[in-house]
Short mmCIF file of all heavy atoms in Angstrom, two decimals:
data_model
loop_
_atom_site.label_atom_id
_atom_site.label_comp_id
_atom_site.label_asym_id
_atom_site.label_seq_id
_atom_site.Cartn_x
_atom_site.Cartn_y
_atom_site.Cartn_z
N MET A 1 -197.81 89.36 -95.63
CA MET A 1 -197.13 88.34 -96.45
C MET A 1 -196.88 87.10 -95.60
O MET A 1 -196.47 87.19 -94.45
CB MET A 1 -195.81 88.92 -96.96
CG MET A 1 -195.19 88.15 -98.08
SD MET A 1 -195.93 88.48 -99.68
CE MET A 1 -195.02 89.94 -100.18
N LYS A 2 -197.13 85.95 -96.22
CA LYS A 2 -196.90 84.67 -95.53
C LYS A 2 -196.03 83.80 -96.42
O LYS A 2 -195.98 83.98 -97.63
CB LYS A 2 -198.22 83.95 -95.27
CG LYS A 2 -199.15 84.67 -94.33
CD LYS A 2 -200.43 83.88 -94.15
CE LYS A 2 -201.39 84.64 -93.25
NZ LYS A 2 -202.67 83.94 -93.11
N VAL A 3 -195.37 82.84 -95.81
CA VAL A 3 -194.57 81.89 -96.58
C VAL A 3 -195.04 80.49 -96.22
O VAL A 3 -195.40 80.20 -95.08
CB VAL A 3 -193.06 82.09 -96.33
CG1 VAL A 3 -192.68 81.79 -94.90
CG2 VAL A 3 -192.22 81.28 -97.31
N ALA A 4 -195.06 79.62 -97.23
CA ALA A 4 -195.50 78.24 -97.03
C ALA A 4 -194.56 77.31 -97.77
O ALA A 4 -193.89 77.69 -98.72
CB ALA A 4 -196.92 78.06 -97.56
N VAL A 5 -194.51 76.07 -97.29
CA VAL A 5 -193.67 75.05 -97.92
C VAL A 5 -194.57 73.95 -98.48
O VAL A 5 -195.59 73.61 -97.89
CB VAL A 5 -192.65 74.47 -96.91
CG1 VAL A 5 -193.33 73.75 -95.77
CG2 VAL A 5 -191.66 73.55 -97.62
N ASP A 6 -194.16 73.41 -99.62
CA ASP A 6 -194.78 72.20 -100.13
C ASP A 6 -193.96 71.04 -99.59
O ASP A 6 -192.83 70.80 -100.05
CB ASP A 6 -194.77 72.20 -101.66
CG ASP A 6 -195.44 70.96 -102.24
OD1 ASP A 6 -195.57 69.96 -101.50
OD2 ASP A 6 -195.80 71.00 -103.43
N PRO A 7 -194.49 70.31 -98.61
CA PRO A 7 -193.68 69.26 -97.98
C PRO A 7 -193.32 68.14 -98.93
O PRO A 7 -192.36 67.39 -98.69
CB PRO A 7 -194.56 68.77 -96.82
CG PRO A 7 -195.93 69.24 -97.12
CD PRO A 7 -195.81 70.44 -98.01
N ALA A 8 -194.07 68.02 -100.03
CA ALA A 8 -193.74 66.98 -101.01
C ALA A 8 -192.47 67.32 -101.78
O ALA A 8 -191.82 66.43 -102.33
CB ALA A 8 -194.90 66.79 -101.97
N LEU A 9 -192.11 68.61 -101.82
CA LEU A 9 -190.93 69.04 -102.56
C LEU A 9 -189.71 69.25 -101.67
O LEU A 9 -188.57 69.06 -102.10
CB LEU A 9 -191.23 70.36 -103.30
CG LEU A 9 -192.26 70.28 -104.42
CD1 LEU A 9 -192.49 71.67 -105.01
CD2 LEU A 9 -191.82 69.31 -105.50
N CYS A 10 -189.93 69.67 -100.43
CA CYS A 10 -188.81 69.99 -99.53
C CYS A 10 -187.97 68.76 -99.25
O CYS A 10 -188.48 67.72 -98.88
CB CYS A 10 -189.35 70.56 -98.22
SG CYS A 10 -188.05 70.88 -97.00
N GLU A 11 -186.66 68.91 -99.44
CA GLU A 11 -185.73 67.82 -99.14
C GLU A 11 -184.78 68.20 -98.01
O GLU A 11 -183.67 67.66 -97.91
CB GLU A 11 -184.96 67.41 -100.39
CG GLU A 11 -185.87 66.73 -101.41
CD GLU A 11 -185.11 66.10 -102.56
OE1 GLU A 11 -183.90 66.34 -102.69
OE2 GLU A 11 -185.76 65.37 -103.34
N ALA A 12 -185.20 69.18 -97.20
CA ALA A 12 -184.48 69.54 -95.97
C ALA A 12 -183.04 69.95 -96.23
O ALA A 12 -182.14 69.62 -95.46
CB ALA A 12 -184.55 68.41 -94.95
N HIS A 13 -182.80 70.67 -97.32
CA HIS A 13 -181.46 71.16 -97.59
C HIS A 13 -181.04 72.23 -96.59
O HIS A 13 -179.85 72.40 -96.33
CB HIS A 13 -181.37 71.74 -99.01
CG HIS A 13 -181.52 70.71 -100.07
ND1 HIS A 13 -180.52 69.83 -100.38
CD2 HIS A 13 -182.55 70.40 -100.88
CE1 HIS A 13 -180.93 69.02 -101.36
NE2 HIS A 13 -182.17 69.35 -101.68
N GLY A 14 -181.99 73.01 -96.10
CA GLY A 14 -181.70 73.94 -95.02
C GLY A 14 -181.27 75.33 -95.43
O GLY A 14 -180.97 76.14 -94.56
N GLU A 15 -181.22 75.62 -96.72
CA GLU A 15 -180.83 76.97 -97.12
C GLU A 15 -181.75 78.01 -96.48
O GLU A 15 -181.30 79.06 -96.03
CB GLU A 15 -180.88 77.12 -98.64
CG GLU A 15 -179.70 76.54 -99.35
CD GLU A 15 -179.85 75.04 -99.63
OE1 GLU A 15 -180.70 74.40 -99.01
OE2 GLU A 15 -179.09 74.55 -100.48
N CYS A 16 -183.04 77.73 -96.49
CA CYS A 16 -183.99 78.69 -95.91
C CYS A 16 -183.73 78.92 -94.43
O CYS A 16 -183.86 80.04 -93.93
CB CYS A 16 -185.42 78.23 -96.15
SG CYS A 16 -185.80 76.60 -95.49
N VAL A 17 -183.34 77.86 -93.72
CA VAL A 17 -183.06 77.98 -92.29
C VAL A 17 -181.85 78.88 -92.08
O VAL A 17 -181.83 79.71 -91.16
CB VAL A 17 -182.82 76.58 -91.67
CG1 VAL A 17 -182.53 76.69 -90.19
CG2 VAL A 17 -184.02 75.67 -91.93
N SER A 18 -180.85 78.74 -92.94
CA SER A 18 -179.66 79.59 -92.82
C SER A 18 -179.99 81.05 -93.05
O SER A 18 -179.41 81.93 -92.39
CB SER A 18 -178.61 79.15 -93.85
OG SER A 18 -178.23 77.82 -93.64
N ILE A 19 -180.91 81.31 -93.96
CA ILE A 19 -181.22 82.69 -94.34
C ILE A 19 -182.14 83.36 -93.32
O ILE A 19 -181.95 84.54 -92.98
CB ILE A 19 -181.85 82.71 -95.75
CG1 ILE A 19 -180.81 82.31 -96.77
CG2 ILE A 19 -182.44 84.09 -96.07
CD1 ILE A 19 -181.37 82.03 -98.16
N LEU A 20 -183.12 82.63 -92.79
CA LEU A 20 -184.10 83.25 -91.90
C LEU A 20 -184.50 82.27 -90.79
O LEU A 20 -185.61 81.73 -90.78
CB LEU A 20 -185.33 83.68 -92.73
CG LEU A 20 -186.38 84.55 -92.06
CD1 LEU A 20 -185.77 85.79 -91.40
CD2 LEU A 20 -187.46 84.96 -93.05
N PRO A 21 -183.60 82.05 -89.84
CA PRO A 21 -183.86 81.05 -88.79
C PRO A 21 -185.00 81.44 -87.85
O PRO A 21 -185.51 80.58 -87.13
CB PRO A 21 -182.52 80.95 -88.05
CG PRO A 21 -181.80 82.20 -88.38
CD PRO A 21 -182.25 82.62 -89.75
N ALA A 22 -185.40 82.70 -87.83
CA ALA A 22 -186.53 83.09 -86.99
C ALA A 22 -187.85 82.54 -87.54
O ALA A 22 -188.84 82.45 -86.80
CB ALA A 22 -186.61 84.61 -86.89
N VAL A 23 -187.85 82.16 -88.80
CA VAL A 23 -189.09 81.70 -89.44
C VAL A 23 -189.01 80.21 -89.81
O VAL A 23 -189.99 79.48 -89.66
CB VAL A 23 -189.38 82.54 -90.70
CG1 VAL A 23 -190.53 81.95 -91.52
CG2 VAL A 23 -189.70 83.97 -90.29
N PHE A 24 -187.83 79.78 -90.28
CA PHE A 24 -187.67 78.40 -90.74
C PHE A 24 -186.85 77.60 -89.75
O PHE A 24 -185.84 78.08 -89.22
CB PHE A 24 -186.95 78.37 -92.10
CG PHE A 24 -187.64 79.14 -93.18
CD1 PHE A 24 -187.17 80.39 -93.57
CD2 PHE A 24 -188.76 78.64 -93.82
CE1 PHE A 24 -187.79 81.12 -94.57
CE2 PHE A 24 -189.40 79.35 -94.82
CZ PHE A 24 -188.92 80.59 -95.19
N ASP A 25 -187.25 76.34 -89.54
CA ASP A 25 -186.50 75.47 -88.64
C ASP A 25 -186.66 74.03 -89.11
O ASP A 25 -187.74 73.63 -89.55
CB ASP A 25 -187.04 75.62 -87.21
CG ASP A 25 -186.23 74.83 -86.21
OD1 ASP A 25 -184.98 74.78 -86.34
OD2 ASP A 25 -186.82 74.25 -85.28
N LEU A 26 -185.59 73.27 -89.03
CA LEU A 26 -185.67 71.83 -89.28
C LEU A 26 -185.80 71.13 -87.94
O LEU A 26 -184.97 71.33 -87.05
CB LEU A 26 -184.42 71.34 -90.03
CG LEU A 26 -184.33 71.76 -91.50
CD1 LEU A 26 -182.96 71.41 -92.07
CD2 LEU A 26 -185.43 71.10 -92.34
N ASP A 27 -186.84 70.32 -87.79
CA ASP A 27 -187.04 69.65 -86.50
C ASP A 27 -186.13 68.43 -86.39
O ASP A 27 -185.32 68.15 -87.28
CB ASP A 27 -188.53 69.33 -86.27
CG ASP A 27 -189.06 68.24 -87.19
OD1 ASP A 27 -188.25 67.53 -87.83
OD2 ASP A 27 -190.29 68.10 -87.27
N ASP A 28 -186.27 67.70 -85.29
CA ASP A 28 -185.37 66.57 -85.03
C ASP A 28 -185.48 65.48 -86.10
O ASP A 28 -184.56 64.67 -86.26
CB ASP A 28 -185.66 65.96 -83.66
CG ASP A 28 -185.28 66.92 -82.53
OD1 ASP A 28 -184.51 67.87 -82.79
OD2 ASP A 28 -185.76 66.71 -81.40
N ASP A 29 -186.59 65.47 -86.80
CA ASP A 29 -186.78 64.49 -87.88
C ASP A 29 -186.44 65.08 -89.25
O ASP A 29 -186.78 64.49 -90.28
CB ASP A 29 -188.23 63.99 -87.88
CG ASP A 29 -188.55 63.22 -86.61
OD1 ASP A 29 -187.68 62.46 -86.15
OD2 ASP A 29 -189.67 63.39 -86.08
N GLU A 30 -185.79 66.27 -89.25
CA GLU A 30 -185.40 66.93 -90.51
C GLU A 30 -186.62 67.29 -91.34
O GLU A 30 -186.57 67.22 -92.58
CB GLU A 30 -184.43 66.05 -91.32
CG GLU A 30 -183.12 65.77 -90.61
CD GLU A 30 -182.18 66.97 -90.62
OE1 GLU A 30 -181.70 67.33 -91.69
OE2 GLU A 30 -181.97 67.55 -89.54
N VAL A 31 -187.69 67.64 -90.68
CA VAL A 31 -188.89 68.13 -91.35
C VAL A 31 -188.94 69.64 -91.14
O VAL A 31 -188.79 70.13 -90.01
CB VAL A 31 -190.16 67.48 -90.79
CG1 VAL A 31 -191.41 68.10 -91.42
CG2 VAL A 31 -190.13 65.98 -91.03
N LEU A 32 -189.13 70.37 -92.24
CA LEU A 32 -189.13 71.83 -92.14
C LEU A 32 -190.39 72.32 -91.43
O LEU A 32 -191.51 71.96 -91.79
CB LEU A 32 -189.06 72.45 -93.54
CG LEU A 32 -188.97 73.99 -93.52
CD1 LEU A 32 -187.62 74.42 -92.96
CD2 LEU A 32 -189.22 74.56 -94.89
N GLN A 33 -190.18 73.14 -90.42
CA GLN A 33 -191.27 73.81 -89.71
C GLN A 33 -191.20 75.29 -90.03
O GLN A 33 -190.11 75.88 -90.04
CB GLN A 33 -191.14 73.60 -88.19
CG GLN A 33 -191.03 72.15 -87.77
CD GLN A 33 -192.29 71.36 -88.06
OE1 GLN A 33 -193.41 71.86 -87.90
NE2 GLN A 33 -192.12 70.13 -88.50
N ILE A 34 -192.33 75.91 -90.30
CA ILE A 34 -192.39 77.33 -90.57
C ILE A 34 -193.23 78.00 -89.50
O ILE A 34 -194.33 77.51 -89.18
CB ILE A 34 -193.00 77.61 -91.97
CG1 ILE A 34 -192.09 77.01 -93.05
CG2 ILE A 34 -193.18 79.11 -92.19
CD1 ILE A 34 -192.56 77.28 -94.46
N ARG A 35 -192.72 79.08 -88.93
CA ARG A 35 -193.47 79.82 -87.92
C ARG A 35 -194.81 80.28 -88.50
O ARG A 35 -194.87 80.77 -89.63
CB ARG A 35 -192.65 81.03 -87.46
CG ARG A 35 -193.16 81.69 -86.19
CD ARG A 35 -192.47 83.00 -85.95
NE ARG A 35 -192.87 83.97 -86.96
CZ ARG A 35 -192.10 84.99 -87.37
NH1 ARG A 35 -190.92 85.16 -86.86
NH2 ARG A 35 -192.54 85.81 -88.29
N GLU A 36 -195.85 80.09 -87.73
CA GLU A 36 -197.20 80.45 -88.19
C GLU A 36 -197.34 81.97 -88.32
O GLU A 36 -196.67 82.72 -87.63
CB GLU A 36 -198.23 79.96 -87.18
CG GLU A 36 -198.23 78.47 -86.97
CD GLU A 36 -199.16 77.76 -87.92
OE1 GLU A 36 -200.19 78.35 -88.27
OE2 GLU A 36 -198.83 76.63 -88.32
N GLY A 37 -198.24 82.37 -89.19
CA GLY A 37 -198.67 83.77 -89.22
C GLY A 37 -197.91 84.64 -90.20
O GLY A 37 -197.09 84.19 -91.00
N GLU A 38 -198.21 85.92 -90.11
CA GLU A 38 -197.66 86.91 -91.03
C GLU A 38 -196.17 87.14 -90.76
O GLU A 38 -195.74 87.17 -89.60
CB GLU A 38 -198.37 88.25 -90.84
CG GLU A 38 -199.82 88.26 -91.29
CD GLU A 38 -199.93 88.37 -92.81
OE1 GLU A 38 -199.08 89.03 -93.44
OE2 GLU A 38 -200.87 87.78 -93.35
N LEU A 39 -195.43 87.35 -91.84
CA LEU A 39 -194.03 87.77 -91.69
C LEU A 39 -194.00 89.22 -91.22
O LEU A 39 -194.84 90.03 -91.63
CB LEU A 39 -193.32 87.66 -93.03
CG LEU A 39 -193.17 86.26 -93.62
CD1 LEU A 39 -192.77 86.36 -95.07
CD2 LEU A 39 -192.17 85.44 -92.82
N ALA A 40 -193.04 89.54 -90.40
CA ALA A 40 -192.81 90.94 -90.06
C ALA A 40 -192.27 91.66 -91.29
O ALA A 40 -191.66 91.04 -92.17
CB ALA A 40 -191.80 91.04 -88.91
N ASP A 41 -192.51 92.97 -91.35
CA ASP A 41 -192.06 93.74 -92.52
C ASP A 41 -190.57 93.55 -92.78
O ASP A 41 -190.14 93.45 -93.93
CB ASP A 41 -192.36 95.23 -92.32
CG ASP A 41 -193.85 95.52 -92.42
OD1 ASP A 41 -194.60 94.64 -92.88
OD2 ASP A 41 -194.25 96.62 -92.01
N ASP A 42 -189.79 93.48 -91.71
CA ASP A 42 -188.33 93.37 -91.89
C ASP A 42 -187.89 91.93 -92.15
O ASP A 42 -186.70 91.66 -92.26
CB ASP A 42 -187.58 93.98 -90.70
CG ASP A 42 -187.86 93.26 -89.39
OD1 ASP A 42 -188.67 92.29 -89.39
OD2 ASP A 42 -187.28 93.66 -88.38
N GLU A 43 -188.83 91.00 -92.26
CA GLU A 43 -188.49 89.62 -92.61
C GLU A 43 -188.80 89.30 -94.07
O GLU A 43 -188.37 88.26 -94.59
CB GLU A 43 -189.29 88.63 -91.73
CG GLU A 43 -188.89 88.66 -90.27
CD GLU A 43 -189.79 87.80 -89.41
OE1 GLU A 43 -190.98 87.60 -89.74
OE2 GLU A 43 -189.30 87.34 -88.36
N VAL A 44 -189.54 90.17 -94.74
CA VAL A 44 -190.03 89.86 -96.08
C VAL A 44 -188.88 89.71 -97.08
O VAL A 44 -188.85 88.75 -97.88
CB VAL A 44 -191.04 90.91 -96.56
CG1 VAL A 44 -191.38 90.72 -98.03
CG2 VAL A 44 -192.31 90.84 -95.70
N ALA A 45 -187.91 90.61 -97.04
CA ALA A 45 -186.80 90.53 -98.00
C ALA A 45 -186.02 89.24 -97.82
O ALA A 45 -185.65 88.59 -98.81
CB ALA A 45 -185.88 91.74 -97.85
N ALA A 46 -185.78 88.85 -96.57
CA ALA A 46 -185.06 87.59 -96.32
C ALA A 46 -185.90 86.40 -96.76
O ALA A 46 -185.37 85.41 -97.28
CB ALA A 46 -184.68 87.48 -94.85
N ALA A 47 -187.21 86.47 -96.55
CA ALA A 47 -188.08 85.37 -97.00
C ALA A 47 -188.04 85.25 -98.51
O ALA A 47 -188.03 84.13 -99.05
CB ALA A 47 -189.51 85.61 -96.50
N GLU A 48 -187.98 86.38 -99.20
CA GLU A 48 -187.87 86.34 -100.66
C GLU A 48 -186.55 85.69 -101.08
O GLU A 48 -186.50 84.91 -102.04
CB GLU A 48 -187.99 87.75 -101.24
CG GLU A 48 -189.40 88.30 -101.15
CD GLU A 48 -189.52 89.76 -101.54
OE1 GLU A 48 -188.47 90.46 -101.62
OE2 GLU A 48 -190.63 90.21 -101.76
N ARG A 49 -185.48 86.00 -100.35
CA ARG A 49 -184.19 85.36 -100.65
C ARG A 49 -184.26 83.86 -100.40
O ARG A 49 -183.70 83.06 -101.16
CB ARG A 49 -183.07 85.98 -99.82
CG ARG A 49 -182.67 87.37 -100.26
CD ARG A 49 -181.27 87.74 -99.78
NE ARG A 49 -181.10 87.64 -98.33
CZ ARG A 49 -181.47 88.56 -97.47
NH1 ARG A 49 -182.03 89.67 -97.89
NH2 ARG A 49 -181.29 88.39 -96.17
N ALA A 50 -184.94 83.47 -99.33
CA ALA A 50 -185.07 82.04 -99.02
C ALA A 50 -185.85 81.32 -100.11
O ALA A 50 -185.48 80.22 -100.53
CB ALA A 50 -185.76 81.86 -97.67
N VAL A 51 -186.92 81.93 -100.59
CA VAL A 51 -187.71 81.33 -101.67
C VAL A 51 -186.82 81.13 -102.90
O VAL A 51 -186.82 80.08 -103.54
CB VAL A 51 -188.93 82.21 -102.01
CG1 VAL A 51 -189.62 81.73 -103.28
CG2 VAL A 51 -189.92 82.19 -100.83
N ALA A 52 -186.02 82.16 -103.22
CA ALA A 52 -185.16 82.09 -104.40
C ALA A 52 -184.03 81.07 -104.22
O ALA A 52 -183.57 80.47 -105.19
CB ALA A 52 -184.58 83.47 -104.70
N ALA A 53 -183.60 80.87 -102.96
CA ALA A 53 -182.46 80.00 -102.70
C ALA A 53 -182.85 78.53 -102.60
O ALA A 53 -181.98 77.66 -102.68
CB ALA A 53 -181.77 80.43 -101.39
N CYS A 54 -184.09 78.24 -102.41
CA CYS A 54 -184.50 76.84 -102.21
C CYS A 54 -184.24 76.05 -103.49
O CYS A 54 -184.81 76.34 -104.54
CB CYS A 54 -185.98 76.75 -101.84
SG CYS A 54 -186.53 75.03 -101.73
N PRO A 55 -183.38 75.04 -103.41
CA PRO A 55 -183.04 74.28 -104.62
C PRO A 55 -184.19 73.43 -105.15
O PRO A 55 -184.14 72.97 -106.29
CB PRO A 55 -181.86 73.41 -104.18
CG PRO A 55 -182.01 73.29 -102.71
CD PRO A 55 -182.64 74.56 -102.24
N MET A 56 -185.20 73.23 -104.34
CA MET A 56 -186.33 72.40 -104.75
C MET A 56 -187.54 73.21 -105.21
O MET A 56 -188.55 72.64 -105.63
CB MET A 56 -186.77 71.50 -103.57
CG MET A 56 -185.65 70.61 -103.03
SD MET A 56 -184.84 69.63 -104.32
CE MET A 56 -186.22 68.66 -104.88
N GLY A 57 -187.45 74.53 -105.09
CA GLY A 57 -188.62 75.35 -105.43
C GLY A 57 -189.80 75.04 -104.53
O GLY A 57 -190.96 75.11 -104.96
N ALA A 58 -189.51 74.73 -103.26
CA ALA A 58 -190.56 74.24 -102.35
C ALA A 58 -191.27 75.35 -101.59
O ALA A 58 -192.27 75.08 -100.93
CB ALA A 58 -189.95 73.26 -101.35
N LEU A 59 -190.74 76.58 -101.65
CA LEU A 59 -191.31 77.68 -100.86
C LEU A 59 -192.10 78.63 -101.73
O LEU A 59 -191.73 78.89 -102.88
CB LEU A 59 -190.18 78.45 -100.16
CG LEU A 59 -189.35 77.65 -99.14
CD1 LEU A 59 -188.18 78.47 -98.66
CD2 LEU A 59 -190.22 77.20 -97.98
N ARG A 60 -193.18 79.15 -101.17
CA ARG A 60 -194.02 80.13 -101.87
C ARG A 60 -194.38 81.25 -100.91
O ARG A 60 -194.71 80.99 -99.76
CB ARG A 60 -195.33 79.48 -102.34
CG ARG A 60 -195.17 78.48 -103.46
CD ARG A 60 -194.98 79.15 -104.81
NE ARG A 60 -194.79 78.18 -105.89
CZ ARG A 60 -193.63 77.66 -106.24
NH1 ARG A 60 -192.53 78.00 -105.60
NH2 ARG A 60 -193.55 76.79 -107.23
N LEU A 61 -194.38 82.46 -101.43
CA LEU A 61 -194.88 83.61 -100.68
C LEU A 61 -196.30 83.91 -101.13
O LEU A 61 -196.62 83.76 -102.32
CB LEU A 61 -194.00 84.84 -100.93
CG LEU A 61 -192.67 84.88 -100.19
CD1 LEU A 61 -191.82 86.00 -100.75
CD2 LEU A 61 -192.87 85.05 -98.70
N SER A 62 -197.13 84.33 -100.20
CA SER A 62 -198.49 84.74 -100.56
C SER A 62 -198.92 85.88 -99.66
O SER A 62 -198.39 86.06 -98.57
CB SER A 62 -199.46 83.56 -100.42
OG SER A 62 -199.53 83.16 -99.07
N ARG A 63 -199.92 86.63 -100.12
CA ARG A 63 -200.45 87.74 -99.32
C ARG A 63 -201.60 87.25 -98.45
O ARG A 63 -202.19 86.25 -98.71
CB ARG A 63 -200.93 88.85 -100.24
CG ARG A 63 -199.77 89.47 -100.98
CD ARG A 63 -200.11 90.82 -101.55
NE ARG A 63 -198.95 91.39 -102.21
CZ ARG A 63 -198.01 92.09 -101.59
NH1 ARG A 63 -198.12 92.33 -100.32
NH2 ARG A 63 -196.97 92.56 -102.25
S1 LIG B 1 -184.34 75.40 -98.70
FE1 LIG B 1 -186.07 74.35 -99.66
S2 LIG B 1 -185.53 72.19 -99.62
FE2 LIG B 1 -184.23 73.25 -98.16
S3 LIG B 1 -185.26 73.10 -96.18
FE3 LIG B 1 -185.87 75.03 -97.10
S4 LIG B 1 -187.75 74.55 -98.23
FE4 LIG B 1 -186.75 72.61 -97.80
#
């Protein structure tokens, strides 16, 4: 499972960073960075919560 952001939608609210900081990070310019590659099995549930919590609907999970 992987997670991706649509940068055109993200407004850097940071909910995803609060939920899963090992994967999501806001850089110094308030641009969301997502760790590359597959999510660990124990990160998937938190990633799903982050997707649901994003007020912009900017995050997507994919296989
Ligand atoms: S919660 Fe959504 S809008 Fe906020 S930083 Fe994450 S992807 Fe961007």
Side-chain angles (χ1 to χ4, degrees):
M1 195 80 85
K2 296 179 182 177
V3 64
V5 63
D6 181 341
L9 294 177
C10 176
E11 291 190 350
H13 293 285
E15 281 85 343
C16 58
V17 180
S18 300
I19 292 169
L20 190 52
V23 171
F24 302 103
D25 185 39
L26 287 171
D27 70 14
D28 291 343
D29 295 321
E30 298 285 292
V31 175
L32 184 69
Q33 306 295 321
I34 297 182
R35 194 190 69 208
E36 299 271 327
E38 291 282 326
L39 295 166
D41 289 346
D42 63 359
E43 292 174 332
V44 171
E48 288 172 345
R49 287 201 304 278
V51 170
C54 175
M56 303 307 298
L59 297 173
R60 290 283 179 273
L61 283 169
S62 63
R63 293 198 178 274

